[in-house]
Amino acid sequence: MVRLLRVAKFFSILEDLLAQFDSESVGLMVKLFAWMCLVVAVNHFLACMWWMIGSWESPGTPRWPQEYLSDMEKDDPLYIYLTCLHWSLCQFTPASMDVHPRNLQERLFTIVILMLGLVVFSSFISSTTATM
């Protein structure tokens, strides 16, 4: 909850910064930067949730880490994080990836994130077009 307040404070600081400049191009750059920061923050959170769901122990149920990560890759936290972040970013953009849900929980989470991604990506495109 505290981190969400920090995000809100970040946007208020950006608004104050934007008010100091009269240039349209600087305003556009600041707004694009703010949107990119928001997208990165949301995707970091979703990547962590994707790993958490894939790490749940449920005997006899296939999980995406078992299917898509080799034994060597499972020992590399950076590779795991980047795989999760890549998956998350692909849900928000028209991109594809080799990692797919392997059970009901993963599939349900993916559907919810796809719907969220549709709204966020559309809002990003709309906001960018409106400021130009």
Side-chain angles (χ1 to χ4, degrees), residues 50 63-65 67-68 87 96-103 106-107 110:
W50 179 242
R63 299 175 326 209
W64 76 263
E67 182 76 22
Y68 298 105
W87 175 88
S96 64
M97 185 180 188
D98 294 336
V99 174
H100 303 289
R102 301 291 297 155
N103 59 44
E106 292 173 1
R107 186 148 319 266
T110 301

Side-chain angles (χ1 to χ4, degrees), residues 62-131:
R63 299 175 326 209
W64 76 263
Q66 293 171 332
E67 182 76 22
Y68 298 105
L69 295 176
S70 68
D71 289 334
M72 185 177 73
E73 293 167 343
K74 288 178 186 174
D75 293 333
D76 186 1
L78 180 62
Y79 185 83
I80 292 170
Y81 175 73
L82 291 176
T83 300
C84 293
L85 187 63
H86 184 191
W87 175 88
S88 178
L89 287 167
C90 286
Q91 305 312 305
F92 279 72
T93 59
S96 64
M97 185 180 188
D98 294 336
V99 174
H100 303 289
R102 301 291 297 155
N103 59 44
L104 180 65
Q105 293 85 4
E106 292 173 1
R107 186 148 319 266
L108 180 62
F109 182 72
T110 301
I111 290 169
V112 169
I113 298 308
L114 279 170
M115 299 305 287
L116 175 70
L118 175 68
V119 171
V120 171
F121 188 69
S122 299
S123 297
F124 174 72
I125 296 297
S126 174
S127 173
T128 303
T129 320
T131 51

